Amino acid sequence: MSQVLRESAIGILTAGMPTRSLHGTSPVTTFGPKACMLQNPHAVMHIQDPASQRLTWNKPPKSVLVIKKIQDASLLQPFKELCVFLTEKNMIVYVERKVLADPVIQADESFAAVIQKFCTFREDLDDISNRVDFIICLGGDGTLLYASSLFQKSVPPVMSFHLGSLGFLTPFNFDTYQSQVTQIIEGNAAIILRSRLRVVKESREKNARVDKKGIIMTKGDSEGSRKAMQYQVLNEVVVDRGPFSYLSNVDLFLDGHLITTVQGDGVIVSTPTGSTAYAVAAGASMIHPNVPAIMITPICPHSLSFRPIVVPAGVELKIMLSRDSRNTAWVSFDGRKRQEICHGDNITITTSCFPVPSICFQDPVNDWFESLAQCLHWNVRKKQNYLSSKEDVF
């Protein structure tokens, strides 16, 4: 699909009124300017068997974005080795400008010639969405979340190396990076489509103005205008009580119907990918990323019966401060962009049609269970001793 057609399709999805489905919007299968998912002719549903989702290229990839965890000296050598390897393969390497501001990198004279070949950008200022063919992350799970935040529409395929602390979302070991990166460039890899949440925060603002960063203005009531900001969220949206000592008191709507009022420290709305992050720490179940769903998890609810729930991916959730709330609340998106929620504000959450195509080490199923075992030590227990026939059963 050409870039013009791809942009046209995006315009139809955002401007039109798509048919509602409990499976949510059908995700795009083109990622960046050149990558797409290899179609399976035997697939019955529009959601393919996770084990059959394969990456392929419409054209050979020529550009790569390298994301490195900031302020981590242990990543400097892997970063340099990878960049040298990519430039030797005649790849156009994109690097964020603040990464190159590291004094150790600037002081390395042997690396200066490689830096001259880089294309640099600045977050929130430069648009690289149509320039990057795939992404390589060096660090922990936070680097994948950061990569997701850079692309508010179609996301290029992401390859994540485990060079951080936890590494639940980073399946690749850097020791064999040359063969693994070469394999990706050749288009031989399994991918998992990690769904994201499309979040719109609408707030009342008396002196609002149009902004170049995407603030959408609508006419409000007599108290002032309203502005709306849109976010693509990979893990979770967290609404909490912030610095206040009172319980948070927020109303939760599902498809326009009030389903409950959250009274507690807050509420987490997460994707299946985010179910193994903050949500699982708050008592939620872990959901495989290929399951089309949205999870709602209360944070320390003042109720013995408020348990986490899973709703279909196609629903629309809305969160607002209750009219009788004693204080405001605060919201964050994947742990970033933290801001206050006041009376009259609302947050609308739906499943995005722009997932993050994460490249697998083996396949979506084996990688997930391997992460559960290695990172979270899921169901680790000392084995029960074998009972011989001579021993008494009682």
Side-chain angles (χ1 to χ4, degrees):
M1 183 182 292
S2 68
Q3 181 61 31
V4 174
L5 290 176
R6 191 163 65 92
E7 290 295 331
S8 299
I10 292 170
I12 293 173
L13 285 171
T14 55
M17 298 182 67
T19 303
R20 295 291 299 275
S21 168
L22 291 182
H23 286 114
T25 53
S26 181
V28 297
T29 55
T30 56
F31 318 114
K34 298 175 184 174
C36 65
M37 187 170 69
L38 182 64
Q39 298 298 316
N40 180 6
H42 302 293
V44 178
M45 297 179 64
H46 71 282
I47 301 177
Q48 292 183 195
D49 174 15
S52 70
Q53 294 176 348
R54 306 287 301 181
L55 171 69
T56 188
W57 301 102
N58 292 328
K59 297 179 181 179
K62 296 295 183 183
S63 58
V64 56
L65 167 62
V66 178
I67 296 179
K68 184 187 81 69
K69 184 178 179 181
I70 303 296
Q71 297 179 342
D72 191 336
S74 65
L75 296 181
L76 291 177
Q77 190 58 34
F79 171 73
K80 294 176 183 179
E81 291 181 15
L82 176 64
C83 291
V84 170
F85 173 75
L86 291 171
T87 54
E88 289 177 349
K89 280 188 167 291
N90 297 320
M91 298 291 294
I92 301 173
V93 179
Y94 283 83
V95 178
E96 194 169 6
R97 188 172 296 179
K98 63 183 179 182
V99 172
L100 300 180
D102 191 312
V104 178
I105 293 179
Q106 292 183 340
D108 190 342
E109 297 181 357
S110 62
F111 195 58
V114 179
I115 293 178
Q116 297 298 323
K117 301 178 182 179
F118 289 165
C119 294
T120 60
F121 72 98
R122 295 162 296 173
E123 182 187 8
D124 295 332
L125 294 176
D126 301 318
D127 183 13
I128 58 170
S129 57
N130 295 320
R131 305 176 190 175
V132 175
D133 294 333
F134 71 103
I135 305 169
I136 296 178
C137 294
L138 303 177
D141 295 344
T143 56
L144 179 59
L145 297 177
Y146 181 69
S148 169
S149 70
L150 294 176
F151 297 86
Q152 293 300 299
K153 290 185 178 180
S154 180
V155 185
V158 185
M159 182 181 193
S160 300
F161 285 96
H162 183 193
L163 292 168
S165 53
L166 184 62
F168 193 90
L169 306 178
T170 55
F172 287 92
N173 193 312
F174 193 76
D175 293 341
T176 55
Y177 76 92
Q178 294 185 355
S179 61
Q180 291 170 342
V181 172
T182 300
Q183 197 172 15
I184 301 308
I185 294 175
E186 294 173 353
N188 182 19
I191 59 173
I192 181 170
L193 301 184
R194 298 186 179 275
S195 64
R196 295 195 290 179
L197 299 174
R198 177 181 178 269
V199 186
V200 177
K201 180 181 180 290
E202 188 177 22
S203 57
R204 181 180 288 115
E205 191 171 272
K206 293 184 179 180
N207 298 316
R209 294 174 295 177
V210 177
D211 191 287
K212 293 182 179 180
K213 295 183 180 179
I215 296 179
I216 306 169
M217 300 300 301
T218 58
K219 291 183 179 180
D221 52 24
S222 58
E223 296 183 22
S225 302
R226 301 181 70 84
K227 72 173 183 179
M229 292 295 293
Q230 180 175 308
Y231 306 91
Q232 295 284 334
V233 176
L234 178 58
N235 260 1
E236 74 270 305
V237 179
V238 177
V239 176
D240 59 67
R241 60 188 175 92
F244 304 104
S245 58
Y246 294 113
L247 296 174
S248 69
N249 199 337
V250 295
D251 294 332
L252 181 61
F253 296 83
L254 191 149
D255 285 341
H257 302 284
L258 177 65
I259 59 172
T260 192
T261 297
V262 180
Q263 296 182 93
D265 282 354
V267 64
I268 306 167
V269 179
S270 60
T271 64
T273 294
S275 70
T276 52
Y278 193 176
V280 74
S285 296
M286 296 180 290
I287 304 176
H288 189 276
N290 275 110
V291 177
I294 298 175
M295 175 170 283
I296 302 171
T297 307
I299 306 172
C300 298
H302 200 251
S303 168
L304 296 177
S305 59
F306 195 170
R307 311 314 304 160
I309 61 172
V310 178
V311 297
V315 304
E316 179 183 271
L317 299 174
K318 181 175 287 187
I319 299 175
M320 301 178 63
L321 271 182
S322 298
R323 295 182 63 181
D324 54 354
S325 177
R326 294 184 177 184
N327 46 257
T328 61
W330 288 76
V331 62
S332 60
F333 312 95
D334 280 341
R336 307 180 74 212
K337 311 286 186 181
R338 186 168 172 81
Q339 52 198 278
E340 192 173 16
I341 307 173
C342 301
H343 284 92
D345 299 350
N346 65 75
I347 300 171
T348 304
I349 304 172
T350 56
T351 298
S352 171
C353 64
F354 299 105
V356 174
S358 183
I359 299 174
C360 302
F361 178 69
Q362 296 182 42
D363 59 69
V365 175
N366 284 309
D367 279 13
W368 192 67
F369 280 100
E370 183 70 16
S371 293
L372 288 182
Q374 296 298 322
C375 299
L376 298 183
H377 302 293
W378 178 59
N379 197 29
V380 173
R381 179 190 185 276
K382 184 178 180 181
K383 292 256 184 177
Q384 189 178 47
N385 292 332
Y386 173 73
L387 184 63
S388 65
S389 58
K390 295 182 180 180
E391 293 180 338
D392 193 350
V393 177
F394 303 101

